[in-house]
Amino acid sequence: MSAIAKDLSVGAMAARAGVAVSTLHYYEAEGLISSWRNSANHRRYDRRELRRVAIIRAAQSVGVPLSEIRIVLDAVPPNSVVTAADWARAAEPWAARLDAQIETLQRLRKQMTSCIGCGCLSLETCPLYNPRDTLAANGPGARRWNGAPEERSTLES
Amino acid sequence: MSAIAKDLSVGAMAARAGVAVSTLHYYEAEGLISSWRNSANHRRYDRRELRRVAIIRAAQSVGVPLSEIRIVLDAVPPNSVVTAADWARAAEPWAARLDAQIETLQRLRKQMTSCIGCGCLSLETCPLYNPRDTLAANGPGARRWNGAPEERSTLES
DNA sequence: GCTTTACCTCAAGTTCACTTGAGGTCGTAG
DNA sequence: CTACGACCTCAAGTGAACTTGAGGTAAAGC
């Protein structure tokens, strides 16, 4: 155990990455991480997979769904030696997302107390809510915007 | 239509708020918004409810689950005249969340290209991933952290 | 008078990201 | 030799946030 393990069991991976074993099974089934089997049919993970898990969790924490995480991870083939440039290129779409998200959060934060109580009933000008911004498109409702009904076209009142 | 409507139909609300009618039904069933009925048993919404919907969507976009949104909205009784101070007090817990989230995003953004390609296999020191930070506790995995298995105790390798 | 349109209810279905459970296999420790 | 812990598979369950569908009403337009 004190010897540096070249590869990891699923339990060790789970412990080190701070996720459940079942989560690793799931990620593997989803093609986000990969492993090989030892003679006992137990999963063995390259230590590199730890980083992949870290990236998955980090990306999730900022609202990236697994489907998009997969796209980025797929750009970095497993078992390859990855350069910083490789990762930078793969993660490029996330950089933009993060920028947008930071900006929106700051806007929100700054105007939360003022706007939230501002009494404005005009959503058009309310900084708290502009449904067409990047966050709205990628955010939580990042479910499917099944096309907002009517696109607030008429009903100007 | 050009006359200023004092109250709104569910269709009008949906159009103006940019959500589906069924979503408004759902929010109402969940007690997040309220309405009364006209003679035809159709929902009528006070225009104030528009702002509530805006707040719901805004909060969701930064990862606040409906259960927590309800708590804040419940602190502001419906049909009451709400002052800025009322809202500021109710939204206080979100301010802290936003601060934490902004900070984490900025850290992530700044170190994304460097760390993601840094080749470090030491998650302990990887700025991309520290599973015990505020975001991890509130974030996407804001599902239930059913207690990370083993707390990365042993297995130092 | 008929048809459309907008609404109604209630139950069931959907997606995502997992978790839980049942039943079985290894390999080491006592 | 048997017990235990760590692992295996596969199917089914879970919770959040909605959406979809079936079946029905009510007023407004042609």
Side-chain angles (χ1 to χ4, degrees):
Chain A
M1 182 176 282
S2 51
I4 292 170
K6 172 109 189 75
D7 49 14
L8 300 166
S9 69
V10 69
M13 273 282 283
R16 303 235 22 200
V19 304
V21 168
S22 62
T23 303
L24 295 178
H25 285 355
Y26 177 72
Y27 288 166
E28 193 171 330
E30 291 292 303
L32 295 161
I33 57 177
S34 61
S35 68
W36 67 93
R37 303 306 177 98
N38 68 7
S39 56
N41 194 34
H42 288 188
R43 285 169 180 84
R44 298 268 101 194
Y45 293 97
D46 188 293
R47 293 175 65 85
R48 260 186 292 253
E49 296 303 291
L50 257 180
R51 191 142 57 91
R52 283 172 85 94
V53 175
I55 288 159
I56 294 167
R57 303 305 281 190
Q60 282 190 298
S61 80
V62 299
V64 185
L66 289 187
S67 56
E68 287 181 40
I69 295 172
R70 182 168 27 229
I71 292 168
V72 167
L73 289 179
D74 282 354
V76 179
N79 301 324
S80 67
V81 177
V82 184
T83 70
D86 289 336
W87 266 120
R89 209 172 323 104
E92 177 51 33
W94 292 354
R97 175 198 289 265
L98 290 192
D99 284 343
Q101 216 159 341
I102 288 168
E103 206 220 326
T104 308
L105 284 175
Q106 279 170 336
R107 193 159 42 85
L108 266 153
R109 175 70 186 89
K110 206 178 80 186
Q111 308 206 294
M112 176 151 250
T113 50
S114 56
C115 171
I116 213 167
C118 67
C120 73
L121 292 171
S122 157
L123 290 180
E124 282 71 27
T125 61
C126 177
L128 234 189
Y129 188 60
N130 59 335
R132 237 176 255 331
D133 73 10
T134 31
L135 235 180
N138 298 330
R143 316 187 150 283
R144 55 261 89 129
W145 261 130
N146 59 344
E150 285 302 292
E151 309 282 359
R152 70 179 57 223
S153 50
T154 47
L155 299 149
E156 288 310 321
S157 87
Chain B
M1 183 176 282
S2 52
I4 293 170
K6 172 107 190 80
D7 50 15
L8 301 167
S9 69
V10 69
M13 272 282 282
R16 303 234 25 197
V19 303
V21 168
S22 62
T23 302
L24 295 178
H25 285 355
Y26 177 73
Y27 288 166
E28 191 170 333
E30 292 292 303
L32 295 161
I33 58 176
S34 61
S35 68
W36 67 93
R37 303 304 178 99
N38 68 8
S39 56
N41 195 35
H42 287 188
R43 286 169 179 83
R44 298 268 102 194
Y45 293 97
D46 188 293
R47 293 175 65 85
R48 260 186 291 254
E49 296 303 291
L50 257 180
R51 191 142 58 92
R52 287 187 150 244
V53 175
I55 288 159
I56 293 167
R57 303 305 281 190
Q60 281 190 299
S61 80
V62 297
V64 185
L66 289 186
S67 56
E68 286 181 42
I69 296 173
R70 181 168 29 227
I71 292 168
V72 166
L73 289 179
D74 282 353
V76 179
N79 301 323
S80 69
V81 176
V82 184
T83 69
D86 288 337
W87 267 121
R89 210 173 322 103
E92 177 51 33
W94 292 354
R97 176 196 289 265
L98 291 192
D99 284 342
Q101 217 158 341
I102 288 167
E103 207 221 324
T104 307
L105 284 175
Q106 279 169 336
R107 192 158 43 84
L108 265 153
R109 175 70 185 90
K110 208 178 78 187
Q111 309 204 294
M112 175 151 252
T113 49
S114 57
C115 172
I116 214 167
C118 68
C120 74
L121 292 172
S122 158
L123 289 179
E124 282 71 26
T125 62
C126 176
L128 234 189
Y129 187 60
N130 59 335
R132 235 175 259 330
D133 72 9
T134 30
L135 237 181
N138 298 329
R143 318 184 149 284
R144 56 262 88 129
W145 263 130
N146 59 345
E150 285 301 292
E151 309 282 359
R152 71 179 58 223
S153 51
T154 47
L155 300 150
E156 288 309 321
S157 83

